[in-house]
Amino acid sequence: MNYRIVKIDPPLQDEEGYSILIIYTGGTLGMAHDEEGTLKPFNFGQIIEELPVLKKLGLLLTVISFPEPIDSSNMDITHWNDLGYIIQENYDSYDGFVVLHGTDTMAYSASALSFMLEGLSKPVIFTGAQLPIGTARSDAGQNLIAALQIASSHNDGGPIIREVCIYFDYFLFRGNRCQKVESVHFDAFESENYPALAEAGISIDFNYPVLYETPLVESFKVHKVQPVKIALIKLFPGLDEDLLDHILATPGLQAVVLETFGSGNAPTTERFQSALKKGISNEIIFFNVSQCNGGRVLQGRYTTSKHLLDLGVVSGADITPEAALAKLQFLLSTESNYHQIVRQLSIPLRGEMA
Ligand code: ASP
């Protein structure tokens, strides 16, 4: 992968401070108006001009940029592997990492990276903005500064955060618990099923009991993800069963995230059941995730989910669809045994589900 180091002029270096690597992938945060008033990717080399307050943080900052900053709607697994590669290459040289990313798919990328970075013992904080850095009232500066402070927060035991997070609008969330819920207001992200890890007020208050603890036995390892065939099927009353059969007959289909109703419920019709049964006999994995942002899948609570349990559909408990897709992407890329994948899917690997 060819990434480029952006020369910050004047350089932002405080020899005493913690060293943070900022990885700029694109998105709204890094935009500014040109002379004609058009929004264009902003030259990060001039970050001090936009945010002179960065000088006061006392940090040793380095910026790496994707060769072409992208809108996050164009994120794909190649970019996730690029991020993994950059973090792996620079892991020992920095105290923490801040990933600047468009908000649209940030929850997917943060989820994917949470699985790909095994044994992480340093902070990887994703952030972005609803308004470009170069506009009045932009949230970019606040988000970036707090993300940098969090990425450099230490106590006697070392870095306080040792997981992949999203910082946005005063809150730090576990990355694989987030969803983008807002495209207009500043509070773009929510983590319905897991408490915020920190809140930035006058000080940054960490919620210590809910922070992820990397198992001590684990050493840091970056996994790559491969192209896999996963479908996301959101149930709705009136879903055409021919269409369902058609999707499930896709050659090479490996897994389906089934977005079910309420606490994991689905139709009990003969046709629906036989479609799933056929899929499972063809070793297609079905992962049951609720359409409700809050709460969890409880297969067997109602008759309308008991058949899923009996068929061998895997419960996603309180996982988000974003994290469910990322988890399948990760497991199908790194594990070839069907039963192992099913087993790992149903247990929390990085605090992504209860
Ligand atoms: N479309 C933009 C992106 O996700 C929106 C943003 O950055 O907030 O890249």
Side-chain angles (χ1 to χ4, degrees), residues 60-72:
L60 221 144
L61 298 181
T62 306
V63 179
I64 278 179
S65 172
F66 271 16
E68 289 295 335
I70 58 166
D71 184 294
S72 78

Side-chain angles (χ1 to χ4, degrees), residues 4 15-16 19 30 44 69 71 91 133 137 140 166 186 193 200 237 257 281 312 317 325 352:
R4 62 189 171 86
E15 300 305 326
E16 308 281 294
S19 57
F44 248 94
D71 184 294
Y91 193 69
I133 201 163
R137 288 197 314 107
I166 290 181
F186 287 127
N193 285 325
V257 172
S281 67
L325 288 164
E352 75 284 2

Side-chain angles (χ1 to χ4, degrees), residues 51-128:
L51 276 184
V53 69
L54 283 179
K55 283 192 282 196
K56 294 190 181 160
L57 296 180
L59 296 172
L60 221 144
L61 298 181
T62 306
V63 179
I64 278 179
S65 172
F66 271 16
E68 289 295 335
I70 58 166
D71 184 294
S72 78
S73 302
N74 282 319
M75 271 288 155
D76 65 20
I77 63 163
T78 316
H79 301 110
W80 291 348
N81 284 330
D82 289 346
L83 282 172
Y85 174 80
I86 295 172
I87 293 171
Q88 181 166 43
E89 286 284 292
N90 294 283
Y91 193 69
D92 293 333
S93 315
Y94 292 90
D95 295 302
F97 301 84
V98 169
V99 181
L100 304 180
H101 193 292
T103 55
D104 289 348
T105 63
M106 193 187 290
Y108 294 87
S109 295
S111 298
L113 266 291
S114 77
F115 296 112
M116 291 163 65
L117 307 180
E118 186 180 333
L120 186 67
S121 62
K122 295 185 180 185
V124 174
I125 315 294
F126 279 71
T127 196

Side-chain angles (χ1 to χ4, degrees), residues 89-254:
E89 286 284 292
N90 294 283
Y91 193 69
D92 293 333
S93 315
Y94 292 90
D95 295 302
F97 301 84
V98 169
V99 181
L100 304 180
H101 193 292
T103 55
D104 289 348
T105 63
M106 193 187 290
Y108 294 87
S109 295
S111 298
L113 266 291
S114 77
F115 296 112
M116 291 163 65
L117 307 180
E118 186 180 333
L120 186 67
S121 62
K122 295 185 180 185
V124 174
I125 315 294
F126 279 71
T127 196
Q130 295 285 60
L131 279 175
I133 201 163
T135 56
R137 288 197 314 107
S138 171
D139 50 340
Q142 284 308 319
N143 285 345
L144 174 56
I145 288 161
L148 288 168
Q149 286 184 322
I150 289 166
S152 59
S153 292
H154 277 62
N155 58 18
D156 293 346
I160 295 177
I161 298 293
R162 296 154 185 261
E163 58 182 301
V164 178
C165 298
I166 290 181
Y167 176 83
F168 219 89
D169 194 44
Y170 304 109
F171 287 96
L172 181 73
F173 300 116
R174 175 163 299 157
N176 57 31
R177 290 291 196 150
C178 281
Q179 292 189 284
K180 180 172 178 179
V181 292
E182 181 54 69
S183 65
V184 175
H185 298 127
F186 287 127
D187 50 347
F189 290 92
E190 237 173 50
S191 164
E192 269 283 339
N193 285 325
Y194 200 74
L197 309 186
E199 184 173 355
I202 293 174
S203 59
I204 294 173
D205 295 326
F206 290 96
N207 188 359
Y208 288 95
V210 303
L211 304 183
Y212 186 74
E213 278 180 40
T214 311
L216 282 174
V217 283
E218 281 186 23
S219 54
F220 182 63
K221 186 170 177 201
V222 179
H223 296 274
K224 273 184 127 182
V225 284
Q226 319 284 345
V228 295
K229 273 211 167 125
I230 309 170
L232 171 67
I233 302 177
K234 181 169 182 163
L235 301 183
F236 60 93
L239 170 64
D240 184 84
E241 281 152 341
D242 286 340
L243 189 88
L244 185 65
D245 287 343
H246 200 75
I247 297 171
L248 298 184
T250 306
L253 182 65
Q254 293 167 281

Side-chain angles (χ1 to χ4, degrees), residues 241 266-273 302-308:
E241 281 152 341
T268 48
T269 59
E270 193 47 47
R271 189 73 198 281
F272 182 82
Q273 296 200 46
Y302 290 88
T303 347
T304 45
S305 64
K306 175 79 169 52
H307 60 310
L308 303 180

